[in-house]
Amino acid sequence: MKILVIGSGGREHALVWKLKQSPRVSEIFCAPGNGGIAGLASCVDIKADDVPGLLKFAKDNKIGLTVVGPEIPLVAGVVDTFEKHGLKIFGPSKAAARLEGSKVFAKDFMVKYHVPTAKYLSFDTLEAAVAGLNEFTLPVVVKADGLAAGKGVIICVTKAEAKLALSEIMIQKVFKDAGAKVVIEEFLVGEEASILAVADGKDFVILESSQDHKRIFDDDKGPNTGGMGAYSPAPVVTPALMKKIALQVIKPVIDGMKKEGAPFKGILYAGIMVTKQGPKVLEFNTRFGDPETQAVLPRLKSDLLEVMLASVEGGLRKMKLQWEKRPCVCVVMAAGGYPGDYATGKVITGFEKVSSEAVVFHAGTRQDGDFIVTSGGRVLGVTALGQDIKDAIKNVYADVGKISFDGVQYRQDIGKKALDRR
Ligand code: AMP
Ligand code: GLY
């Protein structure tokens, strides 16, 4: 079967890498791909949000399954378009992707179906939103309703900060139409975990837990990023807690979306805060997490293609996933200055020194003559397994130390929370 993967980050490199191991996969294309993906798949120069271009490519090349990495094409309705043309595609419909595309929709849905989440109010005028701040104690969380590339969530310690955030979102329109509505939300305290489930509209299977590291600096300091590293499993998610999440979060969402006439297929990603009162949903994504995918997929022993086909065709009820027991850690190597301005075009060296057990997933790279050079903020995700979490951390950092490029920065403490729990 020929596969088309849509996207160009570390997550897509991991998806291509894992799909390539399936005996049923004959050829993989990636649109647009990156310098690392090019070693495993044919990269085609079509942007991830160019739905007509992707459709034409899939038809012309007799693609058997298209796999969508990022959220933008999902929210734009790429799945609906492909299905209308009789093409198989892994991911949720436009209506189901509202769980990620609109925070107001997601919050209202959670209340309706009794999914535990932070208390909130939503607003569509600045005046009402500012008045609404009085209903919350500080700190308070302000969220733009729509997609904002991970930047639309602002934690405000003072009321003045909250007013400024509301005005930037609703009046200055820093996130454009994504800020037409806002959610104001209670600040939750606890440890975060990422839970990914794959669903077929009716049934679901939960993948092993993982944990992201969102802040740029060690000990969760500095501004938020797309994710500076991840590990799997996350010991904060005990077997008992995982059962609770399945029953109180994932099942009501899958059942509820079916009732709403928008059955959920593809990946449901629940960002969970483990609070003293139990798990609460911070957000939903309707796709694989980045960099969680890079830490989870190396532990999946089952054939990812079979899992994806079961999601598309409806057959997950009978599916049981096999997992590697050893933990996995992924450390993101980023460009100096990220998540602010950063340079690109820096030559990356040392790939050949990396041990054969590690995998280097490329996020922001491109081929430039004989060299691989940086082309994004998050550049690489170095990934390794270990006998235990301590061993996995040791292995991954040994290989991170072999790779270099001008200005490189990475966190030294990926996996530390898991280590501290032992
Ligand atoms: P989101 O994009 O909704 O996941 O938000 C990004 C990050 O903001 C989350 O991973 C949390 O670290 C933080 N966050 C979001 N909502 C809350 C909340 N209600 N309380 C505390 N932190 C939050
Ligand atoms: N790792 C966070 C995300 O994928 O949104």
Side-chain angles (χ1 to χ4, degrees):
M1 182 181 285
K2 288 202 224 172
I3 309 289
L4 170 63
V5 174
I6 300 173
S8 62
R11 164 184 53 207
E12 288 75 19
H13 191 177
L15 288 167
V16 167
W17 172 84
K18 181 64 188 164
L19 285 165
K20 186 100 181 168
Q21 295 165 18
S22 169
R24 285 179 64 193
V25 169
S26 57
E27 194 176 0
I28 307 184
F29 298 90
C30 190
N34 65 36
I37 293 172
L40 298 171
S42 309
C43 293
V44 289
D45 191 16
I46 306 171
K47 292 215 168 68
D49 57 359
D50 176 7
V51 175
L54 294 164
L55 177 70
K56 182 172 186 316
F57 181 86
K59 276 184 159 174
D60 290 350
N61 291 279
K62 302 199 163 42
I63 298 296
L65 178 71
T66 297
V67 175
V68 190
E71 61 276 16
I72 290 175
L74 293 171
V75 171
V78 68
V79 169
D80 309 61
T81 302
F82 271 56
E83 284 180 348
K84 212 162 55 198
H85 287 84
L87 294 173
K88 280 189 186 154
I89 181 162
F90 177 78
S93 66
K94 183 175 181 166
R98 281 178 299 169
L99 282 173
E100 177 164 1
S102 167
K103 296 208 191 292
V104 175
F105 173 83
K107 295 295 287 193
D108 292 349
F109 174 90
M110 282 191 265
V111 168
K112 184 168 176 186
Y113 292 98
H114 311 291
V115 175
T117 187
K119 287 199 189 72
Y120 76 104
L121 290 169
S122 57
F123 301 96
D124 56 11
T125 68
L126 178 69
E127 206 185 7
V130 169
L133 283 174
N134 293 325
E135 308 293 318
F136 296 86
T137 53
L138 294 165
V140 69
V141 187
V142 172
K143 301 185 172 185
D145 177 51
L147 295 183
K151 298 192 182 90
V153 174
I154 303 148
I155 294 165
C156 308
V157 180
T158 65
K159 211 166 157 184
E161 271 174 50
K163 280 185 188 167
L164 181 66
L166 288 169
S167 139
E168 281 179 350
I169 294 173
M170 303 187 88
I171 307 298
Q172 276 88 283
K173 298 240 169 239
V174 292
F175 305 120
K176 309 215 168 68
D177 287 350
K181 293 186 204 165
V182 293
V183 167
I184 302 181
E185 187 171 288
E186 160 201 22
F187 179 77
L188 296 176
V189 178
E191 188 174 335
E192 286 181 50
S194 304
I195 303 298
L196 281 71
V198 47
D200 63 9
K202 244 171 56 200
D203 296 298
F204 64 89
V205 182
I206 300 189
L207 309 190
E208 291 258 302
S209 63
S210 58
Q211 188 177 62
D212 190 6
H213 298 64
K214 289 227 160 88
R215 308 290 201 96
I216 183 76
F217 300 128
D218 284 13
D219 299 318
D220 297 330
K221 301 257 163 61
N224 259 328
T225 69
M228 292 300 291
Y231 61 85
S232 170
V236 65
V237 185
T238 59
L241 182 65
M242 189 60 126
K243 264 195 196 137
K244 224 180 207 176
I245 293 169
L247 240 81
Q248 296 181 359
V249 177
I250 307 297
K251 187 162 177 13
V253 172
I254 303 306
D255 292 350
M257 289 303 282
K258 201 168 139 228
K259 272 202 197 120
E260 296 291 316
F264 194 94
K265 287 184 177 193
I267 294 287
L268 177 67
Y269 164 143
I272 300 281
M273 186 72 91
V274 183
T275 73
K276 285 203 178 104
Q277 297 88 43
K280 292 192 182 179
V281 174
L282 290 170
E283 62 158 350
F284 287 120
N285 294 317
T286 59
R287 44 146 181 100
F288 280 100
D290 189 341
E292 289 93 328
T293 306
Q294 293 89 305
V296 169
L297 288 186
R299 300 188 55 233
L300 178 66
K301 287 195 198 158
S302 311
D303 184 338
L304 183 61
L305 179 69
E306 300 295 346
V307 179
M308 289 177 161
L309 287 174
S311 161
V312 173
E313 291 161 357
L316 280 174
R317 198 166 58 85
K318 295 194 201 102
M319 187 146 278
K320 205 163 165 3
L321 302 182
Q322 303 299 318
W323 292 95
E324 164 72 57
K325 286 254 177 321
R326 290 180 298 163
C328 184
V329 179
C330 169
V331 174
V332 170
M333 302 181 75
Y338 174 80
D341 293 338
Y342 54 82
T344 59
K346 304 290 179 195
V347 174
I348 310 171
T349 58
F351 289 117
E352 73 290 348
K353 294 184 217 147
V354 172
S355 82
S356 58
E357 269 112 89
V359 194
V360 181
F361 293 118
H362 292 222
T365 74
R366 66 183 163 79
Q367 188 86 35
D368 184 4
D370 290 340
F371 298 106
I372 297 274
V373 301
T374 68
S375 67
R378 290 190 293 173
V379 176
L380 301 168
V382 182
T383 303
L385 295 156
Q387 288 311 321
D388 54 21
I389 185 73
K390 192 172 169 206
D391 191 42
I393 292 170
K394 189 182 91 208
N395 291 344
V396 77
Y397 278 106
D399 282 318
V400 165
K402 294 171 190 163
I403 300 175
S404 63
F405 53 89
D406 197 18
V408 61
Q409 58 165 340
Y410 54 86
R411 278 180 62 159
Q412 311 271 354
D413 66 343
I414 304 300
K416 185 168 174 287
K417 286 202 194 88
L419 210 55
D420 291 347
R421 270 189 184 271
R422 300 203 311 171

PDB file of all heavy atoms in Angstrom, residues 21 103 133 164 168 179 184 285 299 311 338 364 418 422:
ATOM      1  N   GLN A  21       8.086   0.449   8.797  1.00  0.00           N
ATOM      2  CA  GLN A  21       8.342  -0.889   9.331  1.00  0.00           C
ATOM      3  C   GLN A  21       7.204  -1.865   9.040  1.00  0.00           C
ATOM      4  O   GLN A  21       7.309  -3.052   9.306  1.00  0.00           O
ATOM      5  CB  GLN A  21       8.558  -0.803  10.851  1.00  0.00           C
ATOM      6  CG  GLN A  21       9.816  -0.023  11.216  1.00  0.00           C
ATOM      7  CD  GLN A  21       9.844   0.376  12.679  1.00  0.00           C
ATOM      8  OE1 GLN A  21       9.129  -0.170  13.503  1.00  0.00           O
ATOM      9  NE2 GLN A  21      10.677   1.344  13.010  1.00  0.00           N
ATOM     10  N   LYS A 103     -11.835  26.194  21.358  1.00  0.00           N
ATOM     11  CA  LYS A 103     -11.785  25.917  22.806  1.00  0.00           C
ATOM     12  C   LYS A 103     -13.162  26.115  23.429  1.00  0.00           C
ATOM     13  O   LYS A 103     -13.514  25.435  24.391  1.00  0.00           O
ATOM     14  CB  LYS A 103     -10.742  26.801  23.471  1.00  0.00           C
ATOM     15  CG  LYS A 103      -9.328  26.498  22.976  1.00  0.00           C
ATOM     16  CD  LYS A 103      -8.269  26.801  24.005  1.00  0.00           C
ATOM     17  CE  LYS A 103      -6.862  26.770  23.453  1.00  0.00           C
ATOM     18  NZ  LYS A 103      -6.350  25.476  23.050  1.00  0.00           N
ATOM     19  N   LEU A 133     -13.689  38.652  34.412  1.00  0.00           N
ATOM     20  CA  LEU A 133     -12.477  38.361  35.206  1.00  0.00           C
ATOM     21  C   LEU A 133     -12.785  38.340  36.697  1.00  0.00           C
ATOM     22  O   LEU A 133     -12.140  37.630  37.468  1.00  0.00           O
ATOM     23  CB  LEU A 133     -11.392  39.407  34.921  1.00  0.00           C
ATOM     24  CG  LEU A 133     -10.629  39.275  33.603  1.00  0.00           C
ATOM     25  CD1 LEU A 133      -9.717  40.472  33.413  1.00  0.00           C
ATOM     26  CD2 LEU A 133      -9.822  37.979  33.583  1.00  0.00           C
ATOM     27  N   LEU A 164      -4.721  42.949  29.613  1.00  0.00           N
ATOM     28  CA  LEU A 164      -3.846  43.162  28.461  1.00  0.00           C
ATOM     29  C   LEU A 164      -3.972  41.988  27.482  1.00  0.00           C
ATOM     30  O   LEU A 164      -4.096  42.172  26.265  1.00  0.00           O
ATOM     31  CB  LEU A 164      -2.394  43.316  28.949  1.00  0.00           C
ATOM     32  CG  LEU A 164      -1.363  43.580  27.864  1.00  0.00           C
ATOM     33  CD1 LEU A 164      -1.615  44.941  27.219  1.00  0.00           C
ATOM     34  CD2 LEU A 164       0.059  43.534  28.425  1.00  0.00           C
ATOM     35  N   GLU A 168      -5.228  42.224  23.682  1.00  0.00           N
ATOM     36  CA  GLU A 168      -4.373  41.802  22.554  1.00  0.00           C
ATOM     37  C   GLU A 168      -5.097  40.776  21.680  1.00  0.00           C
ATOM     38  O   GLU A 168      -5.003  40.819  20.451  1.00  0.00           O
ATOM     39  CB  GLU A 168      -3.055  41.222  23.076  1.00  0.00           C
ATOM     40  CG  GLU A 168      -2.089  42.308  23.490  1.00  0.00           C
ATOM     41  CD  GLU A 168      -0.777  41.765  24.037  1.00  0.00           C
ATOM     42  OE1 GLU A 168      -0.658  40.541  24.281  1.00  0.00           O
ATOM     43  OE2 GLU A 168       0.128  42.583  24.227  1.00  0.00           O
ATOM     44  N   GLY A 179      -9.102  34.784  17.681  1.00  0.00           N
ATOM     45  CA  GLY A 179      -9.375  35.513  18.914  1.00  0.00           C
ATOM     46  C   GLY A 179     -10.730  36.196  18.936  1.00  0.00           C
ATOM     47  O   GLY A 179     -10.982  37.054  19.791  1.00  0.00           O
ATOM     48  N   ILE A 184     -12.005  32.197  29.498  1.00  0.00           N
ATOM     49  CA  ILE A 184     -11.262  32.526  30.723  1.00  0.00           C
ATOM     50  C   ILE A 184     -11.447  31.338  31.651  1.00  0.00           C
ATOM     51  O   ILE A 184     -12.554  30.819  31.795  1.00  0.00           O
ATOM     52  CB  ILE A 184     -11.784  33.819  31.382  1.00  0.00           C
ATOM     53  CG1 ILE A 184     -11.672  34.984  30.395  1.00  0.00           C
ATOM     54  CG2 ILE A 184     -11.002  34.122  32.655  1.00  0.00           C
ATOM     55  CD1 ILE A 184     -12.149  36.312  30.966  1.00  0.00           C
ATOM     56  N   ASN A 285      -6.344  17.856  21.633  1.00  0.00           N
ATOM     57  CA  ASN A 285      -5.837  17.981  20.278  1.00  0.00           C
ATOM     58  C   ASN A 285      -6.428  16.809  19.513  1.00  0.00           C
ATOM     59  O   ASN A 285      -6.789  15.793  20.112  1.00  0.00           O
ATOM     60  CB  ASN A 285      -4.318  17.950  20.249  1.00  0.00           C
ATOM     61  CG  ASN A 285      -3.722  19.163  20.949  1.00  0.00           C
ATOM     62  OD1 ASN A 285      -4.192  20.281  20.778  1.00  0.00           O
ATOM     63  ND2 ASN A 285      -2.712  18.941  21.766  1.00  0.00           N
ATOM     64  N   ARG A 299       8.117   2.747  21.173  1.00  0.00           N
ATOM     65  CA  ARG A 299       7.732   1.699  22.134  1.00  0.00           C
ATOM     66  C   ARG A 299       6.580   0.838  21.608  1.00  0.00           C
ATOM     67  O   ARG A 299       6.245  -0.181  22.217  1.00  0.00           O
ATOM     68  CB  ARG A 299       7.344   2.326  23.474  1.00  0.00           C
ATOM     69  CG  ARG A 299       8.465   3.132  24.123  1.00  0.00           C
ATOM     70  CD  ARG A 299       8.102   3.575  25.527  1.00  0.00           C
ATOM     71  NE  ARG A 299       7.730   2.451  26.337  1.00  0.00           N
ATOM     72  CZ  ARG A 299       6.584   2.380  27.024  1.00  0.00           C
ATOM     73  NH1 ARG A 299       5.726   3.369  27.012  1.00  0.00           N
ATOM     74  NH2 ARG A 299       6.308   1.300  27.721  1.00  0.00           N
ATOM     75  N   SER A 311      -8.848   2.275  12.507  1.00  0.00           N
ATOM     76  CA  SER A 311      -9.516   3.538  12.846  1.00  0.00           C
ATOM     77  C   SER A 311     -10.365   4.016  11.680  1.00  0.00           C
ATOM     78  O   SER A 311     -11.511   4.424  11.853  1.00  0.00           O
ATOM     79  CB  SER A 311      -8.459   4.601  13.195  1.00  0.00           C
ATOM     80  OG  SER A 311      -9.006   5.898  13.106  1.00  0.00           O
ATOM     81  N   TYR A 338      15.206  30.403  19.890  1.00  0.00           N
ATOM     82  CA  TYR A 338      13.868  29.808  19.922  1.00  0.00           C
ATOM     83  C   TYR A 338      13.364  29.802  21.366  1.00  0.00           C
ATOM     84  O   TYR A 338      14.161  29.542  22.255  1.00  0.00           O
ATOM     85  CB  TYR A 338      13.947  28.370  19.363  1.00  0.00           C
ATOM     86  CG  TYR A 338      12.655  27.598  19.472  1.00  0.00           C
ATOM     87  CD1 TYR A 338      11.640  27.802  18.543  1.00  0.00           C
ATOM     88  CD2 TYR A 338      12.433  26.696  20.526  1.00  0.00           C
ATOM     89  CE1 TYR A 338      10.439  27.105  18.655  1.00  0.00           C
ATOM     90  CE2 TYR A 338      11.240  26.008  20.628  1.00  0.00           C
ATOM     91  CZ  TYR A 338      10.250  26.214  19.689  1.00  0.00           C
ATOM     92  OH  TYR A 338       9.065  25.547  19.816  1.00  0.00           O
ATOM     93  N   GLY A 364      13.177  20.516  12.115  1.00  0.00           N
ATOM     94  CA  GLY A 364      13.401  21.662  11.240  1.00  0.00           C
ATOM     95  C   GLY A 364      14.752  21.549  10.583  1.00  0.00           C
ATOM     96  O   GLY A 364      15.720  22.179  11.001  1.00  0.00           O
ATOM     97  N   ALA A 418      10.102  11.937  35.977  1.00  0.00           N
ATOM     98  CA  ALA A 418       9.887  10.490  36.102  1.00  0.00           C
ATOM     99  C   ALA A 418      10.911   9.899  37.067  1.00  0.00           C
ATOM    100  O   ALA A 418      10.597   9.033  37.881  1.00  0.00           O
ATOM    101  CB  ALA A 418      10.008   9.820  34.738  1.00  0.00           C
ATOM    102  N   ARG A 422      10.634   7.897  41.342  1.00  0.00           N
ATOM    103  CA  ARG A 422      11.014   6.531  41.678  1.00  0.00           C
ATOM    104  C   ARG A 422      11.292   6.368  43.162  1.00  0.00           C
ATOM    105  O   ARG A 422      11.823   7.249  43.803  1.00  0.00           O
ATOM    106  CB  ARG A 422      12.247   6.109  40.884  1.00  0.00           C
ATOM    107  CG  ARG A 422      11.988   6.158  39.384  1.00  0.00           C
ATOM    108  CD  ARG A 422      12.892   5.279  38.630  1.00  0.00           C
ATOM    109  NE  ARG A 422      14.310   5.470  39.017  1.00  0.00           N
ATOM    110  CZ  ARG A 422      15.286   4.687  38.612  1.00  0.00           C
ATOM    111  NH1 ARG A 422      15.018   3.674  37.828  1.00  0.00           N
ATOM    112  NH2 ARG A 422      16.517   4.917  38.983  1.00  0.00           N
TER     113      ARG A 422
END
